Amino acid sequence: MVDYYYTNAIMGERPEVINPNKEFLEQLTPDGFQKMVNAFYEIVVESDIAHYFPDDAEELALIKKRNGSYFIMICGGDERYISKYGGDFDQIKTHEMFSIPNKARIEWLGCWEEVLRPIEDKVEHQHIQSYWNWLETFSKHIVNYENDRETLEDKANTKMGCPFGHDKK
Ligand code: HEM
């Protein structure tokens, strides 16, 4: 059984990460891995965090490839992300142009859960677990935005009226 747990990120924390087991990639195969990443993005663009990502199909196709090769590299595959797409990857810098609250991170993880569950019959669960643990922890590094705005939006969505109480005398 794989435990798709979700813990909250505290802004600014950088917990230590352990890379996923290389068996995760070996059992899934690089081809299967890329397919999973493609499926992940198809779900992302229909999700609550779709607005972070480009609408353009060509741009999205490039992101699928770049991200696929990065994630494959992290799982002990070849260094295609570095050699083909150049330079080091800085997790914080890559994401700092976006405002990412914990809520967006949780949604992002939810999209991963959706593509990991279907591979449970192909990959040993301990290796999927190692990948999940890595995603869950490393994604905490990029949370760079407090949830205040989300809280106000949530209040507005509960149809209780203006979140600032302007409608109540
Ligand atoms: C373990 C966590 C994560 C890793 C390792 C990761 C990795 C990456 C990588 C490798 C890229 C592509 C950089 C390039 O173009 O070469 C990228 C881009 C991006 N990531 Fe993440 N990411 C993570 C979490 C998240 C989360 C939680 C969000 C939440 C919304 C997010 C949003 C984005 C966006 C919007 C882009 C840019 C897409 C574009 O180029 O328009 N990422 N990420």
Side-chain angles (χ1 to χ4, degrees):
M1 221 192 79
V2 184
D3 180 6
Y4 300 100
Y5 61 90
Y6 295 76
T7 58
N8 287 324
I10 299 160
M11 216 175 82
E13 71 167 340
R14 308 270 188 264
E16 232 180 274
V17 287
I18 301 169
N19 283 353
N21 303 344
K22 62 178 179 4
E23 289 86 350
F24 179 73
L25 170 65
E26 284 168 4
Q27 293 181 9
L28 190 56
T29 76
D31 199 40
F33 203 116
Q34 186 63 56
K35 284 196 179 115
M36 174 184 70
V37 171
N38 296 350
F40 166 75
Y41 277 103
E42 291 309 318
I43 293 170
V44 162
V45 295
E46 297 296 327
S47 74
D48 288 352
I49 54 168
H51 59 280
Y52 288 96
F53 296 87
D55 294 329
D56 185 72
E58 265 178 46
E59 272 183 62
L60 197 67
L62 192 63
I63 289 174
K64 286 174 180 170
K65 273 199 206 145
R66 290 173 71 98
N67 266 277
S69 56
Y70 175 75
F71 286 104
I72 286 172
M73 184 181 78
I74 288 297
C75 292
D78 65 29
E79 301 255 308
R80 279 185 306 171
Y81 181 78
I82 301 291
S83 59
K84 271 200 194 160
Y85 301 116
D88 287 335
F89 173 70
D90 184 320
Q91 169 80 329
I92 293 160
K93 278 208 187 110
T94 301
H95 296 93
E96 74 190 356
M97 65 182 105
F98 307 102
S99 299
I100 303 179
N102 186 56
K103 191 185 180 189
R105 167 182 164 267
I106 298 289
E107 179 74 11
W108 183 89
L109 285 169
C111 299
W112 274 110
E113 181 178 346
E114 276 192 54
V115 295
L116 289 170
R117 283 190 182 277
I119 61 158
E120 285 183 6
D121 57 348
K122 295 192 197 85
V123 180
E124 274 176 84
H125 292 187
Q126 54 173 318
H127 305 314
I128 301 179
Q129 189 69 61
S130 77
Y131 188 71
W132 178 262
N133 296 348
W134 175 76
L135 287 176
E136 212 275 338
T137 312
F138 199 30
S139 57
K140 289 183 172 174
H141 290 216
I142 64 162
V143 172
N144 58 11
Y145 193 80
E146 292 285 1
N147 271 344
D148 299 339
R149 185 181 294 170
E150 167 230 320
T151 310
L152 294 178
E153 278 169 6
D154 283 353
K155 276 191 189 154
N157 287 340
T158 58
K159 295 196 173 64
M160 285 171 66
C162 171
F164 299 102
H166 289 295
D167 55 339
K168 294 190 181 68
K169 289 268 145 24

